[in-house]
Amino acid sequence: MIKHLTIAATALAVVAGPASALSCSATHPVAAYNAVANAEESFVILHGEFDFDVKKVPDVNAPPVEARIPTQFTGKLLTGDGFTDDVEVAVTLALSCVGPWCARVSPKTDYLAYVLQAEEELIFSVDPCYAFAFSNPADEYIEAIEQCAAGGECEPK
């Protein structure tokens, strides 16, 4: 799902030309939950902070297509009972750019993160529209995601 969104956003930016602005629709955390729940890939949902060397974040004036930054995540893992499991784990932060627009993540900031569980690593892919990254999520969003994980109503409100 993430790769499809990135490809679509990239295509839009290329077709739109350099004078255009990036247009993103706001993603609701419950819509993101439903997207990863229905994805072919495996995801984990984390709530907490990523710690990394901010100097490794690319310069906004010379953005690459993607930057991969090693991070250490500390927080909670979503289970069927909610964000109940404490976790401290290495996660690769993959920041992508579409034209001049690049994703940014701040260390030591509270995130609700939808993280790809690849064969060898966990990857937190963040695109310029932040479709699967929610900084400082409101309690109502955390409760809604916990409700989804418990098998309850799972519709964005």
Side-chain angles (χ1 to χ4, degrees):
M1 180 66 176
I2 292 173
K3 63 184 167 197
H4 298 293
L5 291 174
T6 303
I7 291 168
T10 302
L12 178 64
V14 170
V15 171
S20 300
L22 181 64
S23 178
C24 297
S25 297
T27 303
H28 192 285
V30 171
Y33 177 92
N34 289 328
V36 300
N38 294 318
E40 290 181 24
E41 301 92 345
S42 294
F43 286 81
V44 295
I45 302 176
L46 304 174
H47 180 216
E49 298 180 350
F50 294 88
D51 190 19
F52 59 93
D53 183 355
V54 74
K55 290 181 253 172
K56 293 189 178 193
V57 174
D59 181 352
V60 294
N61 296 316
V65 174
E66 181 180 78
R68 294 174 66 86
I69 302 166
T71 74
Q72 187 67 28
F73 173 83
T74 304
K76 301 280 188 179
L77 170 69
L78 182 66
T79 69
D81 295 324
F83 287 100
T84 56
D85 291 359
D86 291 328
V87 64
E88 187 169 324
V89 64
V91 176
T92 299
L93 175 60
L95 300 174
S96 64
C97 298
V98 177
W101 301 280
C102 292
R104 293 282 178 252
V105 172
S106 299
K108 299 294 187 180
T109 298
D110 186 34
Y111 279 93
L112 176 59
Y114 297 77
V115 178
L116 178 65
Q117 191 169 6
E119 287 183 32
E120 302 284 328
E121 64 183 328
L122 295 173
I123 304 170
F124 182 29
S125 296
V126 185
D127 64 27
C129 292
Y130 301 91
F132 296 95
F134 302 90
S135 62
N136 300 309
D139 289 342
E140 69 187 70
Y141 293 142
I142 299 302
E143 292 166 8
I145 297 306
E146 290 177 322
Q147 181 174 306
C148 290
E153 181 183 344
C154 197
E155 293 297 320
K157 294 180 182 176

